C-alpha cells in the first residue's frame, strides 16, 4: 500500500457506513458501554450518553486493550508483533 491502508480500507469503509446513514465519531473516547440482554444500549462518551435503539448497531474500531476494557468477557489478543517493511 503505497499511501498506507487508509485509501484502500478505511476510506471505503467510512464512505459505505456514511452512505448507510451511520454517524462516525472520532476524537471522543468511549468511556463505557451499557449492555442489556446481550446488546449495547448506550455508548458513554464522558458526560455524553448516546442511546442505541433496537435496530441501531455500533461498529467499534478499537485496539484490543480498549475492547478488553469495555467488554472484559471477550477474548482479545495479548501479544503483538509489528510488521516492518523496508
Amino acid at each position: 500500500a503505497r499511501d498506507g491502508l487508509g485509501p484502500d480500507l478505511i476510506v471505503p469503509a467510512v464512505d459505505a457506513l456514511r452512505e448507510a446513514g451511520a454517524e462516525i465519531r472520532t476524537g471522543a473516547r468511549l468511556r463505557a458501554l451499557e449492555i442489556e440482554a446481550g446488546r449495547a444500549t448506550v455508548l458513554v462518551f464522558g458526560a455524553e450518553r448516546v442511546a442505541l435503539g433496537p435496530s441501531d448497531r455500533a461498529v467499534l474500531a478499537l485496539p484490543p486493550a480498549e475492547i478488553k476494557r469495555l467488554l472484559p468477557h471477550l477474548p482479545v489478543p495479548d501479544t503483538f508483533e509489528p510488521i516492518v517493511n523496508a
Side-chain angles (χ1 to χ4, degrees), residues 14-82:
V14 168
D15 289 346
L17 288 167
R18 282 195 175 123
E19 286 176 20
E23 178 183 344
I24 308 295
R25 295 242 176 166
T26 60
R29 184 171 187 205
L30 181 61
R31 302 290 180 182
L33 295 169
E34 292 184 13
I35 298 175
E36 293 179 22
R39 68 177 301 274
T41 56
V42 177
L43 306 175
V44 180
F45 297 94
E48 183 183 12
R49 299 167 52 84
V50 178
L52 300 175
S55 63
D56 290 336
R57 302 292 182 262
V59 176
L60 304 179
L62 302 169
E66 285 296 291
I67 294 294
K68 186 172 187 162
R69 181 182 65 79
L70 294 166
L71 300 165
H73 63 282
L74 288 181
V76 297
D78 58 3
T79 57
F80 308 94
E81 293 185 31

